[in-house]
Amino acid sequence: MWNRKLLKKEKEAEKVKMLGSQYRLLLQAWSENAMLFHDMENHLQTIYHLAGEGKCEEIRRYISHISKPVEQLSEVLWTGVGIVDAVLNAKKQLATEKGYAMDINAQLPANTGIAEDDLCTVLTNLLDNAIESMDREKENLPGDTPVIRITLRSIHHFLVINVSNPCIGHSPIGPRLFLTSKKDNIHHGWGLKSVRKTVHKYNGSLSLEMTDGRFTATAMMFYI
């Protein structure tokens, strides 16, 4: 029992460390982007001056240089909520490396009062669960590029996080339990247990269902 708890804590600590790094990159991108727009008038004057002298190559290099922060931001900005964007980008990159696609549809208010570590716990575990499920069944998944669908919404003071992935090998055996094809059955389910424990802190719920060859997890957390 203690070994399981220790393993769980170590895994969560690794996630927090990784997300901290992603979060710092996000904040850096925001800072660079804000400075770019603050200095835009000066940039335009410089470009106007170079154009007057017919220096087209210098203009191209200058524009390329000042647009780098915007290009970086386009890779990391989804909702404007730092920890959420950091998680989405980290998992999207991981999914891409594995040959999966992510369809992300996210709109969140800036201040929900939900602790960042709780958002991290829910979102990372749901996405990890989806990716690991697809890893186990990769050869049997339909389509050239399997798609993980992610929806984040605020509905009537509930934060709703919905993650859906193609799934063939799991069969529902009850409203809360699903059969697993994992070789390591001992540690299976820790992620979803963490999610359920976290959403209950916010008078929320976690629902799991499998329909039409897709496994869908929906977490809801109440906020004021």
Side-chain angles (χ1 to χ4, degrees), residues 1-13 190:
M1 177 64 70
W2 286 108
N3 288 337
R4 293 181 183 179
K5 290 183 178 179
L6 181 61
L7 181 64
K8 179 184 175 183
K9 289 181 178 179
E10 290 177 349
K11 187 175 181 180
E12 289 178 349
W190 276 111

Side-chain angles (χ1 to χ4, degrees), residues 33 36 43 60-74:
N33 185 65
L36 172 62
H43 292 316
R60 281 193 288 268
R61 286 199 298 266
Y62 190 83
I63 292 176
S64 176
H65 175 72
I66 66 175
S67 65
K68 286 181 180 179
V70 176
E71 292 173 359
Q72 182 184 12
L73 188 62
S74 66

Side-chain angles (χ1 to χ4, degrees), residues 22-223:
Q22 292 288 326
Y23 192 27
R24 285 191 294 273
L25 289 175
L26 177 71
L27 293 178
Q28 180 182 352
W30 265 110
S31 177
E32 291 177 352
N33 185 65
M35 287 187 291
L36 172 62
F37 283 103
H38 180 267
D39 294 336
M40 185 56 68
E41 182 177 355
N42 292 331
H43 292 316
L44 291 175
Q45 289 178 355
T46 300
I47 293 172
Y48 181 81
H49 176 73
L50 292 173
E53 296 181 356
K55 297 181 178 179
C56 296
E57 184 60 32
E58 286 83 349
I59 291 175
R60 281 193 288 268
R61 286 199 298 266
Y62 190 83
I63 292 176
S64 176
H65 175 72
I66 66 175
S67 65
K68 286 181 180 179
V70 176
E71 292 173 359
Q72 182 184 12
L73 188 62
S74 66
E75 296 176 356
V76 298
L77 179 61
W78 292 99
T79 67
V81 179
I83 193 67
V84 173
D85 289 339
V87 172
L88 290 175
N89 280 284
K91 298 308 176 183
K92 187 176 188 298
Q93 179 180 352
L94 176 61
T96 299
E97 292 172 356
K98 290 175 174 288
Y100 311 141
M102 272 196 178
D103 181 8
I104 302 174
N105 191 346
Q107 293 180 4
L108 296 179
N111 299 307
T112 61
I114 298 175
E116 288 191 346
D117 58 331
D118 289 332
L119 280 173
C120 175
T121 295
V122 173
L123 195 52
T124 54
N125 278 302
L126 291 184
L127 291 175
D128 282 345
N129 190 67
I131 292 172
E132 289 169 7
S133 173
M134 293 168 69
D135 285 344
R136 294 191 299 271
E137 303 178 354
K138 190 171 185 178
E139 295 181 357
N140 300 318
L141 294 176
D144 296 331
T145 305
V147 179
I148 300 172
R149 297 171 185 161
I150 306 161
T151 302
L152 292 92
R153 283 289 184 274
S154 173
I155 304 175
H156 300 304
H157 292 284
F158 273 96
L159 175 60
V160 180
I161 301 176
N162 179 281
V163 177
S164 169
N165 63 275
C167 185
I168 298 175
H170 290 200
S171 300
I173 59 176
R176 287 192 172 189
L177 297 176
F178 287 76
L179 292 174
T180 176
S181 59
K182 272 192 177 182
K183 295 180 181 179
D184 184 7
N185 290 323
I186 294 178
H187 299 115
H188 174 68
W190 276 111
L192 293 180
K193 288 178 182 177
S194 294
V195 172
R196 184 169 284 114
K197 180 179 179 181
T198 302
V199 298
H200 283 173
K201 289 173 57 178
Y202 297 90
N203 298 314
S205 64
L206 172 66
S207 65
L208 309 174
E209 63 176 347
M210 189 174 75
T211 57
D212 299 326
R214 294 192 70 87
F215 178 81
T216 302
T218 303
M220 298 179 65
M221 291 181 282
F222 179 76
Y223 67 93

